[in-house]
Amino acid sequence: MDSELRNVLAAVYLTITATILMSNGVKAWTGEIHGRVVCDVCGDSSIGPEDHVLSGAEVAVLCITKSGEVLNYQAFTNSNGIYTVAETMPASDQWDACLARPISSFHDHCTHLGDGSTGVKFSYNHPSGFSHAVKPFVYRPASVPTYCI
């Protein structure tokens, strides 16, 4: 299933879930986490014109809710290198803290994680309907192209 269809299905699921929760008298809460995965072609730790986004990269997001439940999400980047995780749940169970980490780039030419791209922990203190942007995860090629040297 391609990422655009997956995003549409996720939006439909969130809408249905919110409707069900609100019809049962439970206050619903919706949160979103998104970020980007990039190939740092020259391995110079700066994003430049030679670098590009990685579509199909896998990212794991683990969140702990205010009620103590642990939720594990799996996301893949779209053609713009962006991954998104979204959830609608009772407000009493909203996310409290999360960890996002890259799993795999699935690109033969750009498979080594860059420095500082092992994962990001963060508190999630946003009201319903807001999102949290995670800093980009960076992969590098095994060998730097000669035009970078």
Side-chain angles (χ1 to χ4, degrees):
M1 178 181 319
D2 72 357
S3 61
E4 289 182 35
L5 177 59
R6 202 173 316 138
N7 288 342
V8 169
L9 291 175
V12 169
Y13 170 78
L14 291 174
T15 303
I16 292 171
T17 303
T19 303
I20 291 170
L21 287 172
M22 292 188 323
S23 68
N24 290 332
V26 175
K27 184 175 179 185
W29 174 89
T30 299
E32 179 183 287
I33 299 164
H34 63 273
R36 180 170 286 202
V37 181
V38 179
C39 179
D40 180 9
V41 174
C42 290
D44 56 4
S45 299
S46 66
I47 305 302
E50 72 281 356
D51 302 322
H52 59 87
V53 298
L54 293 174
S55 64
E58 183 179 7
V59 176
V61 179
L62 181 109
C63 292
I64 299 173
T65 67
K66 294 204 181 284
S67 64
E69 184 179 1
V70 177
L71 303 172
N72 193 15
Y73 303 94
Q74 177 185 25
F76 293 89
T77 56
N78 62 18
S79 60
N80 296 319
I82 297 172
Y83 66 89
T84 303
V85 169
E87 181 80 69
T88 297
M89 59 185 69
S92 60
D93 290 335
Q94 72 186 52
W95 297 327
D96 187 36
C98 298
L99 166 70
R101 63 186 186 91
I103 301 297
S104 179
S105 76
F106 293 114
H107 289 261
D108 293 338
H109 68 282
C110 206
T111 57
H112 297 293
L113 270 175
D115 296 335
S117 285
T118 55
V120 178
K121 295 181 207 175
F122 54 93
S123 295
Y124 197 98
N125 300 319
H126 302 294
S128 183
F130 285 78
S131 66
H132 180 87
V134 176
K135 71 177 183 117
F137 294 126
V138 178
Y139 284 89
R140 296 179 176 162
S143 59
V144 176
T146 53
Y147 64 83
C148 294
I149 300 173

